[in-house]
Amino acid sequence: MAARQSSETIISPETGETLTRGVRPFTVIYKGESMTVDLPGYYPASQGEGVHVGDDMAATDAALRILKEKVDGVPAPETIRRMRTKLKLSQREAGSLFKVGENAFDKYERGLIEPSGPTIQLMTLLEKHPELLDELR
């Protein structure tokens, strides 16, 4: 009879080792900048490779977005949401106003796509000068 597994352990498909659910530090590097995050996953007792499932990689995705914002000026989803709500625009209104499509801001704020350079520049300008919003309308 096969050994029973709990939801806290799995068998590694590569090594056959028992992996236990846990968190380990992981460093994300982007264009020379780095950030260390706690990466959930299933890990061996040794310092070997882990297995990541479901949303385990969300921590690294978020870190990469933060680094891209810092290095390239591409706003992270949270920054886009903050800018839009500061301007008191719904996602649909923002998409229409910025001429990017009515669902674009939903996708920006969920991190599915990144806004274009001109859209980023316009968001940044409007955040600093919200009075210009009326002129765009």
Side-chain angles (χ1 to χ4, degrees), residues 86-132:
K86 181 180 175 183
L87 295 169
K88 297 179 175 76
L89 295 170
S90 70
Q91 289 179 335
R92 284 186 181 271
E93 288 171 321
S96 175
L97 191 69
F98 285 71
K99 308 283 190 249
V100 293
E102 61 183 32
N103 295 320
F105 274 78
D106 172 60
K107 292 176 183 175
Y108 298 157
E109 292 175 20
R110 288 192 294 142
L112 300 178
I113 60 173
E114 294 176 351
S116 67
T119 299
I120 294 168
Q121 289 179 316
L122 185 55
M123 279 191 290
T124 303
L125 184 65
L126 287 174
E127 183 180 37
K128 291 177 182 170
H129 302 282
E131 70 278 6
L132 295 175

Side-chain angles (χ1 to χ4, degrees), residues 18-66:
T18 298
L19 307 179
T20 304
R21 189 80 180 148
V23 175
R24 289 201 180 159
F26 182 84
T27 302
V28 178
I29 301 170
Y30 181 76
K31 293 185 178 179
E33 292 287 329
S34 66
M35 181 177 201
T36 301
V37 297
D38 289 332
L39 183 60
Y42 290 91
Y43 295 100
S46 66
Q47 289 299 314
E49 293 289 315
V51 172
H52 304 97
V53 297
D55 291 333
D56 286 352
M57 299 305 290
T60 60
D61 294 344
L64 181 59
R65 288 189 190 104
I66 290 167

